């Protein structure tokens, strides 16, 4: 935490920055850098070659937080779910690139973060497949695609364990994902329900309580149901009746970027808390 606060005193961004969309608290603000790389190298077929995720994160650290944030490539770590972190700076990171654009998101180590950026290329089969996975009545759109990718990067979900996830209805800012629905007997249409972090581990959805924790409610005792304990049954200890510990509920958000001379881009974020976000933009040669 101290390392992060020291970095924030030495901002190095040379593009432009939007004010965070919420009150800032040291150690709780996320930073997202969208960069345009106008002179990316090309392969023999003329296709642009994007820089590696490791190098993009390294560049973004210095650009966002200043020269003191420069770290060796080996200082960037990936966990079992392929999520990036910079332990020496107390940061988690996520990276995406699309054509000549890249997006890198940083969050304090206490929060998981995922970012994705997508252009509006025609991809009917992928969007139809995703629409079926999300139980929509129609193919998914590019915004859905980007939000799902960001959610996978932030959580332990994968494309193989994503079935049953539901995106909440779109609105500006963070939108909480609620409980995960069962994959059997799901009907089409957006239900506004989604996934908590424990969803892929096979937990059943809890009744909607408004807390969005994604945990299963424990049966309550003494509710006057008329049932009695079986004769000779052993009393249940408090530890056996306690509900499971809360699991993180992820939040998603997305917006459309309209860069000059390029098709619109859909930028999506996922995080385990609705932290304030500071957006940065930079044109690179």
């Amino acid at each position: 935490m101290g390392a992060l606060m020291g970095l924030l005193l030495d901002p190095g961004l040379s593009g432009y920055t939007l004010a965070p969309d919420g009150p800032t608290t040291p150690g709780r603000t996320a930073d997202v850098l969208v960069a345009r790389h106008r002179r990316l190298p090309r392969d023999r077929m003329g296709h642009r070659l994007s820089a590696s995720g490791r190098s993009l994160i390294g560049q973004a650290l210095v650009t966002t937080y200043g020269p003191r944030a420069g770290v060796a490539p080996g200082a960037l770590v990936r966990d079992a779910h392929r999520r990036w972190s910079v332990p020496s700076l107390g940061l988690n990171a996520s990276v995406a690139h699309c054509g000549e654009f890249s997006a890198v998101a940083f969050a304090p180590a206490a929060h998981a973060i995922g970012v994705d950026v997508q252009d509006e290329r025609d991809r009917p089969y992928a969007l139809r497949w995703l629409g079926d996975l999300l139980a929509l009545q129609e193919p998914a759109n590019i915004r859905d695609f980007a939000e799902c990718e960001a959610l996978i990067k932030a959580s332990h979900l994968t494309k193989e364990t994503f079935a049953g996830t539901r995106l909440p209805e779109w609105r500006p800012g963070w939108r909480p994902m609620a409980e995960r629905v069962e994959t059997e007997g799901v009907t089409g249409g957006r239900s506004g329900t989604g996934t908590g972090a424990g969803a892929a581990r096979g937990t059943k959805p809890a009744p909607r309580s408004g807390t969005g924790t994604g945990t299963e409610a424990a049966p309550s005792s003494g509710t006057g149901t008329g049932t009695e304990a079986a004769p000779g049954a052993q009393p249940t200890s408090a530890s056996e009746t306690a509900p499971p510990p809360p699991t993180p509920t992820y939040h998603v958000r997305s917006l459309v970027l309209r860069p000059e001379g390029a098709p619109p881009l859909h930028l999506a974020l996922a995080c385990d808390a609705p932290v304030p976000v500071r957006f940065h933009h930079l044109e690179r040669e």
Side-chain angles (χ1 to χ4, degrees):
M1 184 71 70
L4 176 61
M5 291 185 65
L7 292 176
L8 294 177
L9 299 177
D10 186 19
L13 189 70
S14 57
Y16 63 83
T17 301
L18 299 179
D21 56 354
T24 59
T25 301
R28 289 198 66 247
T29 302
D31 286 278
V32 180
L33 172 67
V34 179
R36 187 173 191 173
H37 311 261
R38 291 185 177 272
R39 295 184 181 178
L40 286 173
R42 296 176 181 266
D43 62 17
R44 290 181 297 175
M45 301 300 293
H47 301 132
R48 294 183 183 274
L49 298 174
S50 297
S52 69
R54 191 178 294 271
S55 64
L56 287 171
I57 293 173
Q59 292 175 9
L61 282 170
V62 175
T63 300
T64 306
Y65 300 117
R68 287 189 291 169
V71 297
L76 305 181
V77 177
R78 300 191 85 174
D79 67 10
H81 303 296
R82 303 180 63 81
R83 295 177 293 195
W84 290 99
S85 65
V86 194
S88 62
L89 300 179
L91 292 170
N92 286 327
S94 183
V95 60
H97 53 76
C98 180
E100 62 181 357
F101 293 90
S102 68
V104 182
F106 298 110
H111 296 295
I113 191 75
V115 68
D116 195 60
V117 61
Q118 298 287 336
D119 60 18
E120 293 190 343
R121 285 178 290 117
D122 188 26
R123 48 190 117 179
Y125 297 107
L127 295 180
R128 190 176 303 124
W129 172 82
L130 182 59
D132 290 341
L133 197 64
L134 296 174
L136 303 180
Q137 299 283 10
E138 66 282 332
N141 54 43
I142 300 297
R143 181 182 67 234
D144 298 330
F145 193 99
E147 290 185 349
C148 289
E149 289 286 344
L151 181 61
I152 287 173
K153 292 179 181 181
S155 70
H156 67 267
L157 292 173
T158 67
K159 292 179 174 64
E160 291 73 30
T161 62
F162 202 78
T165 299
R166 298 292 176 265
L167 294 175
E169 292 288 341
W170 188 89
R171 58 177 171 78
W174 290 110
R175 296 128 56 211
M177 307 290 292
E179 295 82 11
R180 184 179 170 90
V181 301
E182 296 288 352
T183 56
E184 295 183 4
V186 173
T187 58
R190 294 180 192 272
S191 63
T193 58
T195 179
R201 294 195 291 271
T203 57
K204 294 183 179 180
R208 296 296 297 276
S209 63
T211 59
T213 60
T215 57
E216 185 176 354
S220 58
S221 60
T223 55
T225 59
T227 58
E228 297 181 358
Q234 295 295 323
T236 304
S237 68
S239 62
E240 291 174 332
T241 59
T247 55
T249 295
Y250 287 88
H251 293 68
V252 293
R253 65 181 301 168
S254 57
L255 63 156
V256 179
L257 306 176
R258 303 187 185 278
E260 183 179 354
L265 293 172
H266 293 262
L267 177 72
L269 292 173
C271 189
D272 59 2
V275 298
V277 181
R278 183 184 289 109
F279 292 95
H280 314 282
H281 177 73
L282 181 67
E283 296 279 338
R284 292 189 185 275
E285 287 299 326

